[in-house]
Amino acid sequence: MLSHPASRLARLYSKFRQHNGFWILVALGPVYFLFAVIRIYPILETIRLSFFRYHITKKKNPFIGLRNYERLLSDDAFHAALINTIQFTIMAVLITLFLALLIAILLRSIEPVSPIFEIIFYIPVVTPWVPASVIWKWLYDPMYGLINYAISLFGIPKQGWLQEPNLIIYAIVVVAVWKMLGYYIIVFSVGLKNIPTTYLEAAEVDGASPLERLRYIILPLLRPIILFAVVMSTIQFFNVFAPVYVLTASAQGAPAYDLKVVVTEIYRNGFQYYRMGYAGAQSVVLLVFVMMMITLQFMVFRKEH
Amino acid sequence: MSKKRFCWMTVIFILAAGPAAAKQNLSVWLGYGETLPAFEMVKEKFEKKYPDIKVEILTFSLRDFEAKLASAMPTGAGPDLLALHDFLFPRYYDNGYLEPLPPEFAAIANDPTKMNPTYTAIVTREGQAYGMPYWTGRSTLFYNLDYFQEAGLTRPPDTVDELWQYAEKLVKKDTDGNIERAGITMRLTGPSGGIQKFGYLYYQMAGEQIFELGQKPGTVRVTLKDNMDVAVQALLDRINHLHGDRKVDDWTLKHDAQGFASGVAAMLLRETWAIAFIKKNGPNINFNTAPMPKGKVRGAFNYIEILSVSTQSKLKSQTWEFIAMLQEQEVLNTLLTTSGYSPLRKDRDFSWFLKDHPRYKAVMEDIADYNQYLEPPNIAYEEMTTRVGEVLQAAYRDGALADNPEGCKKVILKMQEVAEDILEDNGILSE
């Protein structure tokens, strides 16, 4: 007679065979393995490193407990980066989603030609961040840039878009909105197309104004799409790196104000100062922060629902 | 012969013959691509002498070079020959990645008639040198001869005070008071470079650098607090010339060597490489160079390239031979003419070059009482200069600090505090 644990094992094995466990393992195993290696392991390793004074060229990298996190509390550069990132994210998310929804609604009113406009709006989305940012750097050039030339036609003096600390964040928000707008127009367009026209027609017959139809029919039915857009854009903009890196890179003839955001700070600590442990602690804070914001967004949308 | 047996024999032949036929690689990584022609010249000669060795030279932008080297050395994937900037040197010395100089090289490095001891000191720890100083980039004053003539100035400024007086005479403003041409182009962005350029004049005024070597090797002392009056004056000089009536520069202008080459700056303090840059990017700019203006002392900042051999190299003696070939007169001539960097060997003759290129006199000739100094190499250099530079550049923008010594004093104290905090965190703050 089989012992108790052995019989449980046999039952498990029989269930495994019954549910084609082997084939599931063969099919999904490599995917899970890759996911673990590429996604899970780096996150765990980053968390581990954040407890060490880890410098990649040093042979001794001692365990220092929570000292990296302690240092974060008094790091002015990180605080500035965090505040700038929050400001940037709020502005970029609100402007992008507001404009995207507005344009998507307007495009519905010119349904037959809307695909042409959708393609035009989508072109920046497929343009890689770095060349797009370089183009904008030229546009923003204080001496020879097109933007300063355009405003000078209206008698407005030249501005240091990338040199003035008070202007640069707005300059980068403009680039980010321009880049991602097309994507969210498509997202909202898909959502709008899925709203049954009968609802809107019935409301129109009942005498609802366009604004009332927007408020009481379109927006409530678009709620899942809006939630998706808010979550995705928050993650994207909170992790902003390339446009900030390119537009704030101070080069020979193109001086720029060094606007700090969280990811450029992580990059700087990790790959310029080689303080991998400290950069790890910053990454963990970023992760927690983004997770908290996403949770909050889910809670707000669910509560309203 | 059966097919099976033929296949087996082929596999055995490939396995046996493959490794023996492969050439050995001697790898060289460069962060200054403009010096490549000199290395290519030696490569050709070297490969003729050693047909079994293939020299592989890779060039990167300086930032990429630093990052690639930092990740490659700990994993044993780094180059045989390390061409290190002086501030990178401690990172590799401290962790045992560098071979000591063989006696024949040490004899050259330690001979003051062949090598300036200032440069040898940078690569030496406990009496043993770990690299061969190769070339230097030296700070100098660039001035636009046409703008000087326009302003009635017949010679370059000789003192720090004169430099600012000249800048006020050379600045050009439009009818609304907006600056069209800077009297002197200052380093207003890029914090690590900013503190370095601030340090150029601070050195002349204080007689020492902002960061000096500490008593213990590898440690650093911050001198701002010790020279408070000078530091405040150096900061006031800049801020007073960035705001109000005495303004001589503006953030919206093109800056640095590009600004000078574009004709929007009358003076520039920069290193040797800018000569070739200005000639290339501003061929119509009529300029000359002069020694740094003096204060309490006169001195030029130097940054040097050091050639070292990795302890992980399997071709150590051959790599040293490659470095020896790089010291030959014709190779150094190529280095000088193609990159503009001045070779450091004093026993080589470059008088022919100065005859053809007199603008290099200010950066190549040894002048009496003209100190040549280097920043103290340390592992926190990049972080410290960036963070302190951020404090400095935020102050530049604050118009309330103009003619405000007390406000400037607070900025200087903050700079001292930021630097000491980073040095302490890295365990290299001098007692």
Side-chain angles (χ1 to χ4, degrees):
Chain A
M1 198 178 156
L2 287 169
S3 65
H4 189 64
S7 67
R8 193 187 288 170
L9 211 64
R11 271 205 307 277
L12 272 175
Y13 179 69
S14 123
K15 263 191 184 170
F16 181 75
R17 286 194 62 181
Q18 204 181 336
H19 291 98
N20 294 317
F22 176 73
W23 294 111
I24 291 170
L25 211 64
V26 168
L28 293 180
V31 179
Y32 281 132
F33 175 75
L34 277 178
F35 184 76
V37 170
I38 294 167
R39 293 277 178 183
I40 308 295
Y41 171 71
I43 293 173
L44 296 178
E45 183 64 8
T46 302
I47 296 170
R48 189 186 73 82
L49 281 185
S50 71
F51 299 110
F52 288 81
R53 186 191 294 278
Y54 191 90
H55 191 294
I56 51 177
T57 61
K58 281 187 181 171
K59 287 180 178 168
K60 282 181 192 163
N61 293 298
F63 176 79
I64 55 167
L66 290 171
R67 216 175 303 162
N68 282 328
Y69 291 94
E70 212 179 294
R71 194 172 171 76
L72 276 179
L73 297 174
S74 58
D75 185 346
D76 293 343
F78 186 69
H79 297 166
L82 202 57
I83 291 166
N84 288 338
T85 309
I86 292 170
Q87 281 179 351
F88 170 83
T89 306
I90 291 171
M91 282 191 283
V93 168
L94 289 179
I95 298 171
T96 306
L97 298 191
F98 174 75
L99 286 179
L101 185 59
L102 187 72
I103 293 168
I105 291 170
L106 291 175
L107 287 180
R108 292 286 63 78
S109 63
I110 47 166
E111 195 74 52
V113 290
S114 66
I116 298 169
F117 288 97
E118 283 170 359
I119 289 170
I120 292 170
F121 280 117
Y122 205 76
I123 289 171
V125 180
V126 292
T127 310
W129 270 110
V130 173
S133 306
V134 171
I135 292 166
W136 277 95
K137 194 160 191 168
W138 277 100
L139 292 173
Y140 282 133
D141 189 282
M143 290 180 78
Y144 310 118
L146 202 63
I147 294 174
N148 268 350
Y149 172 73
I151 63 169
S152 73
L153 297 176
F154 300 98
I156 303 168
K158 285 178 178 176
Q159 303 293 323
W161 301 103
L162 302 178
Q163 291 73 35
E164 285 297 324
N166 299 329
L167 284 180
I168 189 167
I169 191 162
Y170 302 108
I172 296 173
V173 167
V174 169
V175 179
V177 171
W178 168 83
K179 178 82 171 66
M180 295 313 297
L181 187 64
Y183 176 78
Y184 291 102
I185 288 174
I186 300 290
V187 169
F188 286 134
S189 293
V190 171
L192 287 170
K193 278 177 189 168
N194 284 330
I195 296 176
T197 49
T198 47
Y199 292 179
L200 296 166
E201 284 162 5
E204 207 176 343
V205 169
D206 288 345
S209 69
L211 265 180
E212 284 170 332
R213 272 176 277 160
L214 176 70
R215 187 176 168 191
Y216 296 110
I217 298 175
I218 297 174
L219 289 182
L221 290 176
L222 266 185
R223 194 186 299 273
I225 298 289
I226 294 173
L227 174 64
F228 167 79
V230 169
V231 169
M232 290 306 292
S233 57
T234 303
I235 295 171
Q236 273 167 354
F237 291 132
F238 214 89
N239 286 294
V240 62
F241 176 72
V244 179
Y245 186 75
V246 175
L247 291 168
T248 65
S250 198
Q252 276 295 321
Y257 178 72
D258 176 31
L259 182 84
K260 293 180 175 59
V261 291
V262 174
V263 181
T264 55
E265 272 303 291
I266 293 171
Y267 172 80
R268 193 171 271 177
N269 277 295
F271 297 99
Q272 283 183 11
Y273 312 149
Y274 304 109
R275 296 168 70 116
M276 290 292 176
Y278 190 58
Q282 292 182 323
S283 305
V284 172
V285 170
L286 174 68
L287 177 74
V288 171
F289 220 88
V290 173
M291 297 286 280
M292 272 166 48
M293 287 208 308
I294 303 301
T295 312
L296 197 71
Q297 286 165 356
F298 269 97
M299 282 165 64
V300 168
F301 274 84
R302 275 192 186 163
K303 200 176 167 188
E304 283 183 10
H305 186 66
Chain B
M1 191 188 293
S2 73
K3 262 187 188 175
K4 203 174 171 185
R5 183 179 289 179
F6 176 76
C7 286
W8 273 114
M9 282 181 69
T10 310
V11 170
I12 290 165
F13 177 77
I14 289 169
L15 286 175
K23 276 186 176 184
Q24 283 183 290
N25 254 4
L26 190 155
S27 62
V28 181
W29 292 0
L30 301 175
Y32 289 90
E34 56 270 42
T35 61
L36 181 65
F39 285 79
E40 290 282 9
M41 196 173 171
V42 170
K43 174 188 167 166
E44 201 183 320
K45 210 169 150 189
F46 185 87
E47 284 181 339
K48 270 184 195 159
K49 188 172 177 189
Y50 294 101
D52 293 340
I53 299 176
K54 184 177 181 295
V55 178
E56 187 187 65
I57 306 172
L58 298 176
T59 63
F60 309 91
S61 71
L62 191 58
R63 288 264 181 262
D64 289 343
F65 169 77
E66 288 171 34
K68 195 169 161 59
L69 200 62
S71 54
M73 291 305 287
T75 56
D80 298 275
L81 193 161
L82 289 95
L84 296 170
H85 193 307
D86 51 86
F87 78 78
L88 291 180
F89 189 78
R91 204 177 282 165
Y92 299 96
Y93 162 77
D94 286 348
N95 293 289
Y97 293 121
L98 305 179
E99 280 286 305
L101 280 187
E104 63 273 24
F105 281 93
I108 298 166
N110 292 312
D111 181 347
T113 62
K114 291 179 179 169
M115 185 68 64
N116 184 328
T118 306
Y119 306 128
T120 307
I122 289 293
V123 297
T124 303
R125 290 285 170 90
E126 291 164 6
Q128 175 68 60
Y130 287 83
M132 194 68 189
Y134 192 42
W135 55 254
T136 182
R138 187 179 289 177
S139 65
T140 192
L141 170 74
F142 293 79
Y143 61 102
N144 186 308
L145 290 163
D146 293 337
Y147 298 158
F148 265 57
Q149 199 180 8
E150 190 185 300
L153 302 168
T154 52
R155 60 170 178 80
D158 190 49
T159 64
V160 174
D161 290 341
E162 221 172 44
L163 178 85
W164 293 114
Q165 288 161 16
Y166 273 44
E168 288 176 26
K169 285 179 187 164
L170 288 160
V171 67
K172 196 176 170 187
K173 297 175 182 174
D174 66 13
T175 46
D176 297 328
N178 298 317
I179 292 182
E180 289 178 334
R181 180 181 78 205
I184 181 168
T185 178
M186 291 183 241
R187 185 66 176 260
L188 305 177
T189 55
S192 63
I195 189 72
Q196 197 180 63
K197 273 59 184 177
F198 176 76
Y200 282 3
L201 295 183
Y202 173 87
Y203 178 84
Q204 322 296 332
M205 296 163 79
E208 62 179 350
Q209 298 183 71
I210 297 172
F211 309 113
E212 284 286 355
L213 277 174
Q215 286 179 337
K216 234 174 94 186
T219 62
V220 175
R221 179 172 64 89
V222 188
T223 69
L224 288 165
K225 223 166 150 183
D226 298 341
N227 303 303
M228 183 54 83
D229 291 345
V230 166
V232 167
Q233 189 55 51
L235 183 57
L236 274 173
D237 282 346
R238 299 213 173 220
I239 292 174
N240 288 345
H241 288 100
L242 283 167
H243 303 277
D245 296 342
R246 283 168 290 172
K247 186 171 175 175
V248 297
D249 194 6
D250 190 85
W251 281 267
T252 55
L253 292 171
K254 291 252 175 249
H255 270 80
D256 216 321
Q258 182 69 63
F260 190 85
S262 309
V264 293
M267 291 190 287
L268 163 75
L269 296 172
R270 247 323 192 164
E271 303 92 40
T272 324
W273 62 268
I275 299 174
F277 180 91
I278 297 163
K279 273 161 65 181
K280 187 182 165 195
N281 294 282
N284 299 323
I285 297 294
N286 182 18
F287 74 100
N288 206 349
T289 60
M292 296 291 287
K294 74 177 174 201
K296 187 175 167 185
V297 297
R298 193 197 297 272
F301 160 80
N302 284 251
Y303 64 93
I304 65 168
E305 182 90 320
I306 302 155
L307 303 177
S308 293
V309 175
S310 164
T311 46
Q312 298 159 352
S313 171
K314 288 174 184 159
L315 297 165
K316 290 189 183 87
S317 62
Q318 291 89 337
T319 308
W320 284 118
E321 196 171 339
F322 193 93
I323 291 173
M325 288 177 172
L326 282 164
Q327 313 285 321
E328 287 169 10
Q329 179 76 53
E330 57 169 345
V331 179
L332 295 178
N333 291 347
T334 303
L335 173 77
L336 183 56
T337 50
T338 55
S339 72
Y341 290 120
S342 320
L344 287 173
R345 286 289 292 268
K346 288 170 79 177
D347 53 338
R348 302 285 188 253
D349 179 23
F350 303 108
S351 53
W352 61 271
F353 181 78
L354 289 179
K355 265 184 215 152
D356 296 346
H357 304 88
R359 281 168 180 156
Y360 282 83
K361 271 189 176 181
V363 288
M364 285 185 71
E365 277 189 342
D366 279 335
I367 306 165
D369 299 326
Y370 196 23
N371 303 340
Q372 302 305 320
Y373 66 88
L374 285 102
E375 289 170 316
N378 65 84
I379 51 166
Y381 175 85
E382 188 79 17
E383 184 182 3
M384 180 179 64
T385 51
T386 302
R387 295 304 187 205
V388 178
E390 284 169 2
V391 178
L392 179 71
Q393 291 185 347
Y396 285 169
R397 289 184 181 273
D398 187 355
L401 290 173
D403 291 320
N404 177 359
E406 277 310 306
C408 287
K409 192 174 174 182
K410 283 181 189 156
V411 175
I412 298 295
L413 287 172
K414 175 80 177 162
M415 287 162 68
Q416 175 95 18
E417 184 194 321
V418 169
E420 287 187 343
D421 180 47
I422 292 167
L423 292 169
E424 193 173 10
D425 191 53
N426 281 276
I428 54 167
L429 176 65
S430 178
E431 292 296 321

